Amino acid sequence: MADTNKKLRSSEWFGKKGKDGLIYRAWMKKTGIPNHYFKEKPVIGICNTWSELTPCNSHFRDLAKSVREGVIEAGGFPVEFPVMSLGETLMKPTAMLYRNLASMDVEESIRANPVDGVVLLCGCDKTTPSLVMGACSVDLPTIVVSGGPMLTGKFKGKEISTSDGWRFAEKLKTGEMSFAEMEEAEGCMCRSDGHCAVMGTASTMASMVESLGLSLPGNAAIPAPDMRRKLVAYHSGQRIVEMVDEDLKLSDILTRRAFENSIKINTSIGGSTNFVVHLLAIAGRIGVELNLADFDELSRDIPLLANLQPSGEFFMEDFYYAGGLPAIIKEMLPRLVTSVKTVTGKTVSELYEDAECYNRDVISTLDKPLKGEVGLAILKGNLCEEGAVIKPSAASPELLTHKGRAVVFEQIEDYKERISDPDLDIKEDDILVLKNVGPKGYPGMPEVGNMGLPQKILEAGVTDMVRISDGRMSGTAFGTAVLHVSPEAADGGNLALVQNGDIIELDVPNRTLTLHVSDEELEKRRESWKPLPMHMDRGYWHLYQKHVQQAHLGADLDFLRGKSGSTVKRDSH
Ligand code: FES
């Protein structure tokens, strides 16, 4: 129960006498809320990203009900509110463009309203970082409830997931699959509530919040339709009321050590490359120093423990039944700072030391890992002076050291127009280079970095080539893709100066990406380089293009870094 001696933030609204208090309370009473709810009950905001346009979050009204019941049970006053939802599959040009906008919505909605603590309902890829970023900038007691992955897909006797979408698209190109078969596969792939059922970006984000200590244990992997998902929501509702009592804020949880633990755990599960850009943005909001080099350094001696698609074999459902993230964290305890506190009030070791693994095919041990060191590699070189990211576990091992001729596409439209041209001058050992798909250039840094291979290369039976871009890659995708090249082409990075036929050398073991063109020649090319015109001269796109930071800083808007706290500076009533 709440500590009745504590002055709640919400009492600045509901505790007032006179006209202001009347206004604050009277309109709330329209839904049948009794007088005593306004007296010393912690007000818990349930920040909901439910939307039919975000199919991965379409079950969130039910989830919110469970949170609400937990809040009431613990003596709190639940208030559910919507924020902008980001559906990965439908939003154009890319949901990532709107991550920062949604985070502003979250930040302002929390600060402007009489809430003492917040439960964030997160699911589809960008809904997690945007909500956490926004909440960090207010820094109230906050807990995350993820929506959970879909059940494993079943198609023609085989288990499938959204990762198979990439394979099906290539099979359609080569004629191995008909369109009718593809339509049938679609329903088999997405057959229940929940987000993508592999260790793609959504599951990586759900694991990120658990590994940062922002959710109850087990949150990362419970399938969406499993009743235990509702229990996590219910218990999170109970716990947030206690957190308000304890004044346990996001900044008490999100210490530098928590970020370090999260990077190590992400490495052990083969998490998505998108983890990097989102974690950097979250660190920027809460005020923790974190840079690209930390990801390489901290993940260097961490092996891959989780045998999950797209890097491995199994699905999120299997992961949960095998013990889920708690079993991974238990295994990783010797490599973590275990005294770090979580939203439960307990430390990482207290929380996870008794976790059990039920299937060693899915979750391996540090002594006998699935693969050796495979963490996200951060590359440096004259082609990516501020860095670039590659996920070796999703790449072809033989391509991790490769030298080849550049085949350049200036923009995504150029790529789409020419990639299927039978006269395209391309060989299997060439390197595909795609420019102007970075934060500013596209704008919004879309997931096109694992660009599909030309049909004639696919028909020759080749399934992977080195690909380089300033864009991102879907967490469900795979391939030897160098991503997040920074500075991006649109910001005048050397990527903008690459020409067809230039020789590029990728050396992942030595963490380098080199454009074999002299500095003099690059300077000459720079003199004639012109940035592309802005795509929009008004509205959010315009604001975004003017203020977005480069990928190595998290692609946040420059004026959103840091936090403003929970105090409302002006009071109009
Ligand atoms: Fe929503 Fe994959 S599309 S998680």
Side-chain angles (χ1 to χ4, degrees), residues 436-442 470 485-493 495-496 548 550:
N436 293 304
V437 290
K440 272 187 190 173
Y442 192 67
D470 42 14
V485 166
S486 181
E488 63 175 299
D491 207 40
L495 181 66
V548 70
Q550 289 297 285

Side-chain angles (χ1 to χ4, degrees), residues 189-262:
M189 193 167 79
C190 300
R191 68 185 180 97
S192 80
D193 283 337
H195 57 66
C196 292
V198 295
M199 190 47 81
T201 302
S203 295
T204 300
M205 290 296 98
S207 303
M208 176 189 77
V209 293
E210 186 170 339
S211 62
L212 283 169
L214 294 182
S215 70
L216 296 187
N219 171 70
I222 304 170
D226 193 306
M227 66 73 76
R228 288 166 285 190
R229 173 60 58 192
K230 286 188 178 163
L231 282 187
V232 163
Y234 175 83
H235 290 306
S236 300
Q238 286 185 312
R239 176 61 195 151
I240 188 67
V241 177
E242 296 168 355
M243 285 172 67
V244 171
D245 256 6
E246 295 161 15
D247 197 25
L248 185 59
K249 299 188 296 297
L250 275 170
S251 55
D252 299 318
I253 309 295
L254 291 177
T255 58
R256 162 85 194 185
R257 295 287 183 234
F259 282 88
E260 290 176 2
N261 283 350
S262 187

